[in-house]
Amino acid sequence: MSGVLFEDIFEVGKLNPDGKKFDRVNRLECKGVTYDMDLLLDTNCDIYPVKEGERLTFVIASTLDLSGKPDDGTYKPLGDEVSLADKYEYVMHGRVYRFDQQKDTKVQVFASFGGLLMRLTGDQRHVANIEVDSRVFCLLRRNA
């Protein structure tokens, strides 16, 4: 068990679709390649600049431990241990705060990563392992 709750490749369609609101934040509007999911995600553009048309691997995970051992919520300084974060370029930690049932089997999952927001929309079977009020990690890396 790896702790990965959701994973797909997303293509960035638009940056800041409603206009730029904050200097260091870009809102990415993305479309899933495999699962036809829609993703709206805020990122720190000073730390991780992204361009329209780029493809990103996007992961939601419950833990960074490669064995899937649950995260206990305590800070662990970077050490020699290899973690899921080592495979990605950008990592955020936050909390799932809302699920909205849309029509039929479509749902929206909302999470906040220290004020940077995420909305993942699509078929509920792809996000069935994600629970409201759970702590999660968001991981991103560019695809060649």
Side-chain angles (χ1 to χ4, degrees), residues 21-91:
K21 307 281 190 216
F22 301 101
D23 290 340
R24 296 185 181 118
V25 177
N26 273 341
R27 180 158 284 175
L28 313 178
E29 186 178 84
C30 309
K31 187 71 170 172
V33 173
T34 307
Y35 299 122
D36 195 34
M37 304 279 282
D38 293 318
L39 174 66
L40 206 59
L41 181 67
D42 295 342
T43 61
N44 183 318
C45 55
D46 283 352
I47 295 172
Y48 196 65
V50 175
K51 297 176 185 156
E52 289 181 0
E54 280 191 295
R55 285 187 169 205
L56 304 170
T57 296
F58 168 79
V59 170
I60 297 176
S62 60
T63 180
L64 295 177
D65 191 295
L66 291 175
S67 71
K69 178 181 167 195
D71 182 68
D72 62 7
T74 59
Y75 172 72
K76 295 176 187 76
L78 294 174
D80 294 332
E81 290 183 33
V82 177
S83 76
L84 188 61
D86 295 322
K87 298 177 181 183
Y88 293 86
E89 301 164 335
Y90 184 76
V91 180

Side-chain angles (χ1 to χ4, degrees), residues 10 12 18 29 34 78 81 88-89 118 134 138 140 144:
F10 284 84
V12 180
D18 298 323
E29 186 178 84
T34 307
L78 294 174
E81 290 183 33
Y88 293 86
E89 301 164 335
M118 177 205 79
S134 59
C138 169
L140 293 172

Side-chain angles (χ1 to χ4, degrees), residues 24 136 143:
R24 296 185 181 118
V136 293
N143 284 42

